[in-house]
Amino acid sequence: MQPAFTPQKKPTPTPGPSGAPSPTPTPTITPHPSPSPSATPTPPPISMIHVHTWQDLASGDGNHLSSWNQTTPWLDYADTDAQDSLAMHDAGLTVAFYTVPNREGPGDPMYSNDESTFAHDCAGKRIDSLGVGVGRFLMDPHSTDLGGMWESYVQKMVGDGAWIDYVFEDKADNINKTSATPCNFDQTDWTNASNQLDSFMTAHIIYNSLSNTGSQNGQPTVAPSIALNLTAAGGMSEDCYVRQDETLRTRLSWQATELTEIDMANGRKLFVCNGGMSTAGSTAIQARIYQYASYLLTYDPNTTLYQTHYADYSGLFVYPEVQLVAKQPVNGEPSNIASLLQSGGTYARQYKACYLAGNFVGPCAAVVNSNSAGMPSQPFPYPGQYAHTLVLSGSGVLDGGSVATNGPAPPSSVAPSTAVIAFP
């Protein structure tokens, strides 16, 4: 408790020779020169020289890497097999061990004659997996036998010398691309069963299926599998802003992906933004900026991971733009993508401190026009505030690619399906 304030008694003036009080002398004021303004010091470099990155990587995938040590300045997480896991760990990578307990076929580790592990249609038939999963069957997450087999398989791999930081669970909590619907299927029930399946795993799980977004009454909705955050450390969205079919996510589909990124950040869960486009990186500059600006709009530097598939020679699919790390957002993580909608129609977010390869480059802004091609351009929302833009050239970080922040001034309007990252 602070002491009570005691008012000081005003001093009584001393009487002069005539009996009148002597006037109080006026103090002499010594002028002080105004201090010269000092320049604001440039913030020191930060240790985070790129955003967190993820790649599916293995020795048999056709890459031209001489060793995993080549990747570690650029790559943080590798989704791989048991054979390469320990060497990747020794090189400094965080290892995610690939599994797919939700689709199994002959020769797979969780395939057996135990019929309870398979999903069935109402005629009692197993349900075929289609697309890339052809030759496998849809598994039943209700099966406690399946959960035990999954955990036993992972533990066997660890016992045989594999290093596992996370277990990657592919095709979690979805029945897409299958020959039939499970009998009496209910999505809420299936999601609850998928959480039950995940509870068998003692390792941390990162699941894949957050790309299955939708819309309701004209509003974006996230995938049902986001409920697996109850039992998982994080999740992945494939086709994150750019798709495997070489198109961009736009409009509601883009908004739903942003909403997923927001929900994962606010939930403090790892989120792997896995862009599917696989054209040559050097010819996909505009798509790369669109993907990266969309990522920056709602990312959390601590938990949001970035993945691309643009083609290059080395086989390391990490591109120079990941060196731009945006810090100190003017506004915190939103609760909905609508809060980043600008009056002119773009979506935008400003950051007070941005760094390239760890070095301060000033404030920056990510601006996206997520409308489909052919729709109108929209005004750049910060006229006069920025004088330069991000420029990319070439391909990946091991293939001669480069990034700079001294590009031309932002355009007065942003074309549909394009983005701008702006600097002073």
Side-chain angles (χ1 to χ4, degrees):
M1 178 180 295
Q2 294 182 344
F5 172 71
T6 303
Q8 300 297 310
K9 185 178 179 180
K10 185 176 181 180
T12 303
T14 304
S18 64
S22 298
T24 303
T26 303
T28 301
I29 300 175
T30 304
H32 293 282
S34 300
S36 300
S38 56
T40 304
T42 300
I46 59 173
S47 60
M48 189 175 183
I49 62 170
H50 59 75
V51 299
H52 291 304
T53 51
W54 172 293
Q55 183 174 329
D56 310 330
L57 192 61
S59 55
D61 63 13
N63 67 74
H64 294 90
L65 299 168
S66 59
S67 75
W68 302 131
N69 289 321
Q70 269 190 288
T71 71
T72 50
W74 305 104
L75 187 63
D76 297 318
Y77 294 76
D79 180 20
T80 193
D81 53 27
Q83 175 184 341
D84 292 309
S85 62
L86 183 58
M88 287 181 171
H89 164 74
D90 290 343
L93 296 172
T94 298
V95 175
F97 176 58
Y98 181 86
T99 69
V100 57
N102 304 286
R103 304 284 194 281
E104 291 286 302
D108 290 335
M110 283 154 274
Y111 182 85
S112 73
N113 293 323
D114 184 344
E115 207 59 35
S116 75
T117 63
F118 298 93
H120 300 86
D121 62 20
C122 287
K125 293 182 178 180
R126 293 182 186 179
I127 297 171
D128 294 318
S129 182
L130 305 177
V132 295
V134 116
R136 294 182 169 92
F137 299 99
L138 177 67
M139 308 303 282
D140 189 347
H142 298 85
S143 171
T144 57
D145 289 355
L146 179 62
M149 292 164 66
W150 186 25
E151 169 67 4
S152 295
Y153 166 61
V154 171
Q155 290 305 320
K156 182 180 185 303
M157 294 299 102
V158 172
D160 289 344
W163 183 277
I164 296 176
D165 294 302
Y166 294 92
V167 168
F168 184 73
E169 179 190 3
D170 205 1
K171 302 187 182 301
D173 190 36
N174 80 84
I175 61 168
N176 294 349
K177 298 180 181 177
T178 56
S179 61
T181 300
C183 195
N184 301 318
F185 176 80
D186 174 79
Q187 182 61 64
T188 300
D189 169 70
W190 198 265
T191 299
N192 291 338
S194 296
N195 267 316
Q196 173 186 289
L197 177 68
D198 287 358
S199 69
F200 280 86
M201 183 55 57
T202 54
H204 297 299
I205 293 170
I206 296 177
Y207 61 90
N208 180 25
S209 57
L210 286 172
S211 61
N212 299 315
T213 59
S215 62
Q216 187 173 11
N217 300 322
Q219 297 299 314
T221 57
V222 298
S225 63
I226 203 167
L228 299 186
N229 285 347
L230 181 67
T231 50
M236 172 185 284
S237 175
E238 294 182 328
D239 289 346
C240 191
Y241 305 119
V242 294
R243 292 189 173 101
Q244 191 174 4
D245 66 4
E246 313 305 334
T247 64
L248 307 180
R249 281 192 184 258
T250 59
R251 297 175 62 77
L252 274 176
S253 175
W254 178 89
Q255 292 173 37
T257 305
E258 291 284 7
L259 182 58
T260 303
E261 188 171 337
I262 288 169
D263 286 353
M264 296 297 282
N266 286 329
R268 303 294 187 268
K269 295 292 182 179
L270 295 177
F271 175 61
V272 185
C273 179
N274 178 2
M277 189 175 285
S278 59
T279 55
S282 59
T283 63
I285 301 296
Q286 185 172 292
R288 284 166 53 189
I289 293 176
Y290 182 87
Q291 181 186 357
Y292 201 64
S294 298
Y295 165 82
L296 288 179
L297 277 180
T298 55
Y299 93 128
D300 180 327
N302 298 311
T303 59
T304 315
L305 283 52
Y306 194 67
Q307 180 178 8
T308 57
H309 290 274
Y310 304 107
D312 58 25
Y313 175 79
S314 70
L316 180 66
F317 302 143
V318 177
Y319 290 79
E321 54 268 30
V322 301
Q323 296 172 86
L324 176 63
V325 177
K327 296 273 198 175
Q328 300 179 30
V330 172
N331 297 304
E333 187 71 34
S335 59
N336 195 297
I337 186 58
S339 65
L340 298 183
L341 179 62
Q342 306 300 301
S343 59
T346 61
Y347 291 84
R349 193 178 187 194
Q350 293 178 293
Y351 289 87
K352 298 175 186 176
C354 299
Y355 298 81
L356 189 68
N359 297 308
F360 182 73
V361 292
C364 66
V367 180
V368 180
N369 180 347
S370 64
N371 281 338
S372 308
M375 297 184 70
S377 295
Q378 297 167 332
F380 182 78
Y382 309 117
Q385 289 191 42
Y386 298 95
H388 298 285
T389 50
L390 189 77
V391 229
L392 304 177
S393 64
S395 197
V397 292
L398 298 183
D399 296 272
S402 65
V403 57
T405 60
N406 60 353
S412 59
S413 60
V414 183
S417 299
T418 68
V420 174
I421 300 175
F423 304 88

